[in-house]
Amino acid sequence: MDDIRLIPCPSCGGQPVVLITPAWPLPVLQIACSCCPRRGPENIFKPEGDRAFDCELLPGLAEVRRRAADAWNEGADYYGGI
């Protein structure tokens, strides 16, 4: 994957982590702070190689990862912000 850089948490300066939850029916990617409750928006994506969700409307993992990083770096807060 391309090199995506994440800035420290805008709330506390903590290290961001990328969380991927294999939720049914679609997985969710979210960036969260490892030190405080701050989280970025939840992003669903099309599982690789899954024909059941072979839909042009769902982005792939690489696109969702880029979007989530952009939102985090711009300070978007989903919930739990301080």
Side-chain angles (χ1 to χ4, degrees), residues 5-79:
R5 299 197 188 280
L6 298 173
I7 64 169
C9 176
S11 297
C12 72
Q15 181 69 32
V17 293
V18 178
L19 306 173
I20 297 179
T21 307
W24 189 91
L26 295 169
V28 175
L29 181 142
Q30 186 177 44
I31 298 175
C33 179
S34 61
C35 298
C36 77
R38 188 180 189 104
R39 294 179 180 266
E42 291 182 334
N43 300 275
I44 62 170
F45 61 94
K46 178 173 45 176
E48 297 293 325
D50 191 337
R51 294 283 182 202
F53 295 99
D54 194 16
C55 174
E56 295 294 321
L57 299 177
L58 291 174
L61 177 58
E63 176 63 22
V64 164
R65 188 170 171 252
R66 187 192 59 75
R67 288 181 191 176
D70 289 346
W72 177 266
N73 290 338
E74 292 170 5
D77 191 17
Y78 181 64
Y79 57 77

